[in-house]
């Protein structure tokens, strides 16, 4: 593979981002912006909109917002694409050539079979040479299975307050178009049988130079091609391991209604409901490791995938209780739990039960029910705040990755043109990747928002180091 410089990485990211488009959270979106801004988000707790409008604070732009965001995340596997390409060189393709491999079988520089024969006349120890190869392959397979993924997300969000006194409550129209792409390995285990390998290797001394290339079955799908004429070897693996690239495009339209429920000496309780219409497009592309020529190119190929579109409906519910110096809230998302299907993958190429089961798991995406708890303390003028959010249960995103975010954010909300608002926070996914992010952002000239979230962990791709996770969001807010 050629060296991937910064420009190539940017191109790859853009290609991946625009090939897909949802609301999963590679980055915790709700860790950004100040409370007034996030309460008007189309993804926010529906009860918070009326709370913020009723506060009528000078820092609030009670009209609409348009936010653009882009995220990318890699597994903790250095030289990710090289690892896939390295495996491909050892695996048999879907339709292996009959007889012997097409590549010439040459005497390897690092293996002197004559010395091996002299040192181990009983042939028992020769299997160690093969075991080293198998252990190397198995270790790489296991590593890729856990960390061998690359994932991107792009989002456009546009919430608009359309009525602040509709039957005593507030109406918020939310529009969003978001997308995902992910490449992940599904790897079949290599279960090596040393006794079978020894039995096959014991046949080697019986071959003569006139016998031609011999095929030895060493178990675990590992085949050794041995050339008695020059004692050269070539190892090949027959295995159902594959690289799966998935993409999803999700358009959401929601109408959030919220209003005051009751008020007492301690504060005011608000409730809200948010019915949401979904249009979900999904596609996937599978390539056996043996057929893989360039792992990186699959990110571009997914753009030409056939998307399967489905419509769905769900509803969010919310409660918020606010006083002069604090508020607590609960947000129940996706109460109905609608389901969406990926296109069916052709399974005739695979025989591994494990691989087939993993493909089955990747066929359906469910908008799982999730409870998010919120809390904040702030000064009387609402300019200084400290807030926290916690997902009470883990759920899966459209790429079927688990997430359960905890976020803590401190911020200052200015009401002047020249002094920017600022915020800083920490977020962690408690499941799945378990990555930790530092979040920082500013609002300048009262209208423009810029937020960045980054992990401290890095990953090496073609000898260049990049953050394992990075998110950039740019938006504008306005009143009318």
């Amino acid at each position: 593979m050629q060296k991937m410089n910064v420009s190539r990485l940017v191109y790859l990211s853009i290609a991946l981002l625009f090939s897909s488009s949802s609301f999963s959270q590679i980055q915790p979106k709700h860790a950004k912006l100040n409370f007034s801004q996030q309460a008007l988000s189309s993804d926010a707790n529906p009860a918070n909109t009326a709370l913020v409008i009723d506060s009528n604070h000078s820092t609030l732009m009670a009209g609409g917002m348009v936010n653009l965001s882009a995220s990318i995340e890699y597994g903790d596997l250095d030289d990710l694409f090289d690892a896939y390409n390295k495996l491909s060189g050892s695996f048999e393709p879907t339709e292996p050539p009959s007889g012997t491999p097409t590549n010439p079988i040459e005497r390897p520089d690092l293996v002197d079979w004559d010395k091996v024969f002299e040192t181990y006349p009983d042939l028992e120890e020769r299997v160690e040479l093969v075991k080293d190869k198998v252990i190397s392959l198995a270790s790489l397979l296991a590593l890729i299975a856990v960390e061998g993924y690359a994932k991107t997300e792009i989002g456009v969000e546009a919430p608009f307050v359309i009525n602040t006194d509709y039957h005593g409550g507030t109406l918020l129209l939310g529009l969003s178009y978001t997308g995902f792409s992910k490449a992940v390995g599904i790897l079949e285990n290599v279960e090596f049988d040393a006794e079978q390998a020894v039995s096959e290797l014991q046949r080697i001394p019986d071959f003569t130079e006139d016998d031609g290339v011999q095929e030895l079955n060493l178990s675990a799908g590992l085949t050794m091609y041995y050339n008695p004429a020059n004692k050269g070897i070539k190892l090949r693996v027959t295995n159902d391991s594959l690289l799966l690239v998935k993409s999803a495009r999700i358009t959401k339209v929601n109408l959030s209604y919220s209003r005051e429920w009751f008020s007492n000496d301690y504060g005011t309780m608000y409730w809200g409901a948010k019915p949401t219409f979904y249009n979900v497009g999904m596609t996937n592309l599978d390539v056996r490791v043996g057929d893989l020529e360039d792992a990186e190119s699959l990110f571009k190929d997914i753009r030409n995938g056939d998307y399967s579109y489905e419509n769905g409906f769900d509803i969010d519910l919310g409660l918020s209780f606010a006083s002069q110096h604090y508020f607590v809230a609960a947000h129940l998302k996706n109460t109905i739990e609608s389901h969406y299907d990926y296109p069916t993958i052709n399974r005739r190429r695979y025989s591994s039960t494990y691989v087939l089961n993993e493909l089955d798991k990747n066929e359906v995406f469910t908008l799982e029910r999730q409870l998010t708890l919120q809390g904040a303390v702030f000064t009387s003028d609402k300019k200084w705040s400290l807030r926290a959010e916690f997902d009470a249960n883990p759920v899966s995103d459209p790429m079927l990755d688990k997430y359960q975010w905890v976020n803590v954010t401190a911020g200052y909300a200015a009401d002047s043109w020249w002094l920017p608002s600022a915020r800083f926070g920490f977020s962690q996914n408690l499941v799945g990747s378990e990555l930790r992010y530092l979040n920082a952002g500013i609002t300048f000239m009262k209208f423009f928002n810029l937020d960045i979230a980054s992990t401290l962990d890095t990953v090496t791709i073609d000898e260049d180091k990049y953050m394992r996770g990075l998110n950039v969001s740019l938006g504008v807010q306005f009143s009318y």
Side-chain angles (χ1 to χ4, degrees):
M1 186 193 304
Q2 297 177 346
K3 181 179 177 63
M4 183 192 293
N5 55 29
V6 174
S7 63
R8 286 186 66 205
L9 182 65
V10 170
Y11 172 80
L12 172 61
S13 302
I14 293 174
L16 205 57
L17 291 170
F18 282 95
S19 71
S20 59
S21 281
S22 159
F23 66 92
S24 143
Q25 295 162 336
I26 294 179
Q27 310 282 344
K29 297 177 182 178
H30 44 285
K32 307 175 214 167
L33 307 181
N34 61 47
F35 173 68
S36 297
Q37 293 165 326
Q38 65 176 339
L40 298 183
S41 167
S42 60
D43 284 329
N45 184 338
N48 290 345
T49 306
L51 186 162
V52 170
I53 295 296
D54 288 351
S55 70
N56 194 29
H57 192 263
S58 59
T59 62
L60 173 64
M61 306 294 288
M65 298 172 59
V66 177
N67 290 315
L68 306 175
S69 63
S71 306
I72 191 163
E73 181 180 302
Y74 290 101
D76 188 16
L77 179 61
D78 286 350
D79 297 316
L80 172 63
F81 301 116
D82 281 339
Y84 279 113
N85 295 334
K86 180 180 178 181
L87 276 182
S88 177
S90 297
F91 279 47
E92 286 285 1
T94 299
E95 297 180 357
S98 59
T100 62
T102 56
N103 295 334
I105 301 177
E106 301 175 351
R107 185 181 181 122
D109 295 334
L110 300 180
V111 179
D112 187 333
W113 284 97
D114 290 333
K115 292 184 178 180
V116 172
F117 294 170
E118 294 172 2
T119 306
Y120 305 107
D122 60 353
L123 302 173
E124 184 77 19
E125 296 297 333
R126 289 183 200 166
V127 74
E128 297 298 329
L129 296 171
V130 181
K131 287 173 68 175
D132 288 342
K133 175 72 172 180
V134 174
I135 291 172
S136 175
L137 285 173
S139 298
L140 189 55
L141 283 170
L143 182 59
I144 290 179
V146 177
E147 298 288 357
Y149 71 91
K151 184 176 181 180
T152 63
E153 176 184 344
I154 189 170
V156 180
E157 180 188 28
F160 301 95
V161 177
I162 60 177
N163 197 317
T164 58
D165 190 19
Y166 183 77
H167 294 285
T170 300
L171 278 177
L172 178 75
L173 174 65
L175 308 172
S176 67
Y177 179 73
T178 322
F180 308 88
S181 282
K182 181 181 180 182
V184 61
I186 298 178
L187 292 312
E188 181 185 3
N189 292 333
V190 175
E191 299 179 357
F192 184 60
D193 185 340
E195 292 185 1
Q196 179 177 337
V198 169
S199 176
E200 287 289 279
L201 290 173
Q202 285 176 341
R203 298 167 53 199
I204 290 177
D206 298 331
F207 300 137
T208 66
E209 295 183 1
D210 298 330
D211 288 336
V213 176
Q214 300 296 312
E215 180 178 323
L216 305 178
N217 181 6
L218 306 181
S219 79
L222 187 68
T223 302
M224 173 187 286
Y225 296 94
Y226 174 69
N227 187 348
N230 63 2
K231 299 183 175 61
I233 62 169
K234 187 176 184 67
L235 293 175
R236 298 288 286 178
V237 180
T238 302
N239 188 284
D240 276 346
S241 296
L242 64 108
L243 182 64
L244 180 65
V245 182
K246 302 186 292 182
S247 180
R249 298 172 176 175
I250 300 184
T251 301
K252 292 197 304 180
V253 180
N254 55 51
L255 190 64
S256 175
Y257 177 77
S258 58
R259 61 175 296 171
E260 179 183 326
W261 187 3
F262 65 84
S263 182
N264 56 32
D265 293 339
Y266 300 100
T268 304
M269 177 70 80
Y270 293 84
W271 66 269
K274 181 170 58 182
T276 302
F277 168 81
Y278 290 95
N279 179 253
V280 181
M282 310 178 85
T283 189
N284 46 32
L285 175 66
D286 64 303
V287 179
R288 292 182 73 252
V289 171
D291 300 328
L292 191 60
E293 296 180 356
D294 185 354
E296 181 185 341
S297 66
L298 291 182
F299 282 87
K300 303 168 187 177
D301 293 342
I302 194 68
R303 288 177 297 175
N304 302 319
D306 294 326
Y307 283 82
S308 174
Y309 286 90
E310 296 179 80
N311 296 327
F313 175 82
D314 223 305
I315 187 169
D316 290 10
L317 303 173
L319 289 175
S320 297
F321 184 82
S323 72
Q324 185 178 3
H325 293 289
Y326 71 90
F327 97 100
V328 292
H331 180 191
L332 183 63
K333 308 171 189 176
N334 308 319
T335 58
I336 297 176
E337 295 194 321
S338 50
H339 305 274
Y340 305 92
D341 297 320
Y342 277 96
T344 301
I345 290 176
N346 181 2
R347 286 161 165 72
R348 288 181 296 178
R349 290 174 293 177
Y350 306 106
S351 58
S352 167
T353 301
Y354 171 79
V355 169
L356 291 172
N357 288 339
E358 289 300 303
L359 288 176
D360 289 341
K361 293 178 184 178
N362 281 274
E363 274 196 345
V364 180
F365 160 59
T366 300
L367 278 167
E368 297 174 289
R369 193 176 298 115
Q370 185 179 48
L371 176 64
T372 299
L373 305 177
Q374 304 167 303
V377 292
F378 34 76
T379 57
S380 299
D381 59 7
K382 304 297 190 297
K383 290 188 175 181
W384 294 94
S385 64
L386 177 65
R387 57 191 180 275
E389 295 187 1
F390 171 70
D391 292 335
N393 62 291
V395 296
S396 298
D397 67 10
M399 300 295 99
L400 305 186
D401 293 325
K402 290 289 186 180
Y403 68 89
Q404 182 183 10
W405 288 104
V406 58
N407 312 290
V408 179
T409 308
Y412 173 76
D415 55 7
S416 69
W417 283 84
W418 61 272
L419 181 64
S421 299
R423 45 209 171 262
F424 182 80
F426 171 81
S427 307
Q428 181 175 5
N429 188 1
L430 301 179
V431 296
S433 68
E434 299 185 352
L435 286 176
R436 296 171 293 178
Y437 288 86
L438 292 180
N439 311 281
I442 60 172
T443 297
F444 52 97
M445 299 179 63
K446 293 186 69 173
F447 290 100
F448 301 98
N449 303 310
L450 175 63
D451 291 89
I452 298 175
S454 174
T455 63
L456 298 178
D457 299 321
T458 61
V459 61
T460 300
I461 302 176
D462 288 340
E463 301 179 0
D464 293 323
K465 286 188 176 295
Y466 301 96
M467 296 298 180
R468 277 195 60 192
L470 180 67
N471 170 270
V472 178
S473 174
L474 181 63
V476 59
Q477 58 191 33
F478 46 84
S479 291
Y480 49 79

